[in-house]
Amino acid sequence: MQAEQRRGAWARQAAARHAGVCWSGLGPAPYEPRDRHALLAEARAKLTRRQAWSESAAGGFLSAVVKAQLAARAAHEAGERARAACSRDATGEAIACAAAAEELEAQAHLLLASAQAARNAAVRLAAPTRAVD
C-alpha cells in the first residue's frame, strides 16, 4: 500500500512537471490507482517468484554465499574485538576476550556450514538438468 502511495505521489509530480505547454505525447500516462485486490495479487506473484528463485539452484547457491560472507564479516569483527580487548589489558579484559572468542568460534562454525552449503549448491547448479518430456 505504501508503494502504491509513493507511485501516486510520483505520478502527481510527473504530471505537474508536464503541466502547461509541452509537446504532444511527451507527458506521463494518466495515473490510475490500483485497487487492493490488484495490489495483493501483485504482492503474491512477487512473493511466489522470490520463493521459486530461492528454491532454485542459483538461489540456493547465492543465499549460501551471502550467509558465508555475513559470517565471515561477523567473525572478523569478533576477532577485532578480541584483539582490542587483549591489547587493552589481557587479564583485566579476560571476560571480553572470552566473549569475543566464543563469538568468533560461533561465526567460524556458521561460515564453515555456509561454505559447505555453497559447495553443495554449486554442485547442484552444475548438474545437468533433465529434459522435460
Side-chain angles (χ1 to χ4, degrees):
M1 300 303 283
Q2 290 174 348
E4 184 64 15
Q5 290 172 350
R6 286 190 302 270
R7 184 176 167 262
W10 179 86
R12 285 188 296 278
Q13 288 174 349
R17 279 194 307 268
H18 290 89
V21 178
C22 68
W23 289 4
S24 177
L26 292 182
Y31 172 68
E32 295 187 23
R34 296 176 288 177
D35 65 355
R36 183 175 177 81
H37 297 292
L39 292 173
L40 287 173
E42 181 182 335
R44 285 187 186 107
K46 188 175 188 177
L47 180 61
T48 300
R49 286 190 308 273
R50 283 185 181 182
Q51 287 173 337
W53 179 84
S54 68
E55 293 170 1
S56 71
F61 175 74
L62 289 177
S63 295
V65 168
V66 168
K67 286 179 186 176
Q69 288 175 316
L70 292 174
R73 181 178 296 137
H76 178 75
E77 291 169 359
E80 288 298 314
R81 283 194 304 278
R83 285 177 33 165
C86 186
S87 68
R88 284 191 300 269
D89 179 13
T91 55
E93 295 284 331
I95 293 173
C97 289
E102 286 179 19
E103 177 67 16
L104 181 60
E105 182 181 20
Q107 294 302 327
H109 286 296
L110 182 58
L111 175 58
L112 179 60
S114 298
Q116 290 169 340
R119 183 187 64 225
N120 293 339
V123 168
R124 186 174 145 220
L125 185 62
T129 57
R130 286 186 350 180
V132 178
D133 296 328

